[in-house]
């Protein structure tokens, strides 16, 4: 089963209370690929400028990431500069330089058009639709978006909703999209507009999956040290989709497991700057963390309550 | 095993986007007692003015709540008036009239001094200490407090921490108390100052229990309709303590179950104004909801991860 991500490949400069970095690897396709490639081979479609470090792309290839869909064009790579608040709960964008990303028109290579599992990273919803037009018969399409598109290209976002299986957004985006502040009503609104599954990420609190007939909640992993929240959501998506592509099982039970793999990947992402933590961990650390999620929520109550 | 609550007995006037009420039953002792009495008999120590509706106290007595520690004195009952934001996430206190509560000096009746399980609702920490001086040998003491006391009577709060087993506060209070915005570090700070257990409530997101050797997270119950958040925390405490008093088991496994009973009670509290929902439900509804929490977080992953 092949797993395809279409998204941004960026250079991030991030300031946190604990330090800062400059021109580090970032972008949805990069975080997604670093996370997902721990579980399953990944195909990437994206664009970089002629200034993007070649060894960064080589290292992704070494992880089993098929880079044949990454185009290098003349010009500057997408750069994002941001600053986080002291508690990492809010961030301010200091600078966005789209560079070659401004003209990105994703072309899916022939070899990728049979992709089974597809993740549409947060890009213009019109481009996301054009990607879907190039994929033959995907088994599962998941999609991210952001408030900017929800406001500026609402019609395209709504059209997209009718063509995807999973919408994966954060709570603010779910609220903006549905016009409802209650996230469970927002999720129901999403299900009424196409997707069979809504995944709503709540940052430091966890994430919830809502289907027609069930709700699953996974808390965020308890971390005493969070270093850099950038990329947590795309890493979550990488874990979620990587698990599904690896197991080829779209049952409700396995979607729950995918949520936990997602949450585990999100927790690794925030422990270091950029994708650094993914360079340190392997399958053993991932497996250990996934089981720690089980310890975090496990409880037993009597089958039937007896009160004297 | 006897279960004692010392706290406020109030009349609340609440404005929400869905309506408002006036002089409804409220206060920590009332919410706690309504919740806990579904699980175990409760003893209450508190004060009311001569204007407090007698039938309200009678109804508590009918639920197995021992009201011999409730003193009625001349003057006005404690009244609180508040207004919630459109999303119920913030509230503004419009008016607080302490009335007879201003002179409240809790005196524990002789019959209650052998209490095994004690909950100190949010009152002046000096009074909470005086309560502990009147109890012989409790098995477990849990305590709530608020930012006002953390700032104005920090020494008394710290002395109290050295004498209680469970501190049960919300995330903002844990942060103020510890001076740390990370709730897991804040919990560790709490454990280093006396309590063996920190329970940190996170409102619509859930609650976490931190012990020396373990962390347990229970999400908030997914509700599409939240009506009035007032009393959720005290109802949570009532479920938590009621379960422990009923089961007489302070193992880590049973503390987890207690958290789920707490979360269930908190979810009932917010579904109607005041204590109305507790008048509608019984043991069957409680048991059903507790098991729904199991469905909400249950997942399975392979014992050891195999990646091809």
């Amino acid at each position: 089963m092949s797993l395809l991500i279409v998204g941004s490949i960026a250079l991030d400069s991030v300031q946190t209370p604990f330090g800062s970095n400059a021109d580090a690897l970032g972008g949805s396709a990069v975080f997604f690929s670093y996370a997902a490639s721990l579980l399953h081979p990944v195909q990437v479609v994206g664009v970089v400028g002629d200034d993007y470090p070649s060894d960064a792309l080589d290292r992704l290839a070494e992880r089993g990431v098929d880079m044949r869909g990454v185009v290098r064009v003349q010009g500057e790579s997408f750069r994002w500069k941001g600053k986080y608040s002291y508690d990492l709960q809010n961030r301010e964008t200091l600078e966005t330089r789209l560079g070659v990303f401004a003209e990105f028109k994703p072309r899916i290579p022939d070899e990728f058009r049979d992709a089974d599992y597809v993740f549409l990273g947060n890009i213009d919803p019109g481009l996301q639709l054009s990607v879907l037009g190039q994929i033959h018969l995907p088994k599962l399409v998941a999609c991210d978006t952001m408030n900017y598109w929800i406001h500026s290209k609402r019609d395209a976002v709504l059209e997209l909703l009718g063509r995807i299986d999973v919408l994966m957004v954060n709570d603010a985006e779910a609220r903006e999209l549905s016009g409802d502040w209650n996230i469970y009503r927002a999720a129901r609104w999403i299900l009424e507009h196409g997707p069979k599954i809504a995944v709503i990420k709540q940052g430091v609190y966890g994430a919830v999956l809502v289907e027609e007939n069930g709700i699953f909640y996974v808390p965020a992993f308890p971390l005493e040290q969070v270093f850099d929240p950038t990329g947590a959501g795309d890493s979550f998506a990488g874990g979620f989709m990587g698990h599904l592509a690896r197991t080829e099982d779209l049952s409700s039970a396995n979607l729950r497991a995918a949520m936990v793999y997602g949450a585990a990947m999100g927790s690794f992402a925030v422990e270091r700057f950029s994708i650094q933590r993914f360079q340190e961990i392997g399958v053993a650390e991932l497996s250990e963390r996934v089981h720690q999620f089980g310890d975090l929520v496990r409880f037993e109550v009597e089958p039937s309550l007896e009160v004297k």
Side-chain angles (χ1 to χ4, degrees), chain A residues 83-102:
Chain A
K83 182 179 176 177
Y84 286 89
S85 62
Y86 73 100
D87 61 359
L88 305 176
Q89 291 301 293
N90 297 291
R91 74 179 183 192
E92 181 190 350
T93 290
L94 300 176
E95 192 179 9
T96 301
R97 282 149 64 188
L98 289 176
V100 298
F101 195 63

Side-chain angles (χ1 to χ4, degrees), chain A residues 195-237:
Chain A
K196 293 184 293 287
I197 298 161
V199 172
I200 300 180
K201 298 168 288 178
Q202 302 189 284
V204 71
Y205 298 109
V208 62
L209 178 144
V210 181
E211 289 184 284
E212 171 91 33
N213 294 315
I215 300 179
F216 174 70
Y217 197 97
V218 58
F221 192 73
L223 293 173
E224 289 199 12
Q225 299 292 341
V226 174
F227 206 74
D228 173 11
T230 312
D234 294 308
S235 303
F236 183 103

Side-chain angles (χ1 to χ4, degrees), chain A residues 51-67:
Chain A
D51 57 349
Y52 208 84
S54 301
D55 60 332
L57 304 180
D58 294 345
R59 263 176 289 156
L60 272 169
E62 287 161 16
R63 292 175 72 92
V65 179
D66 189 332
M67 307 294 285

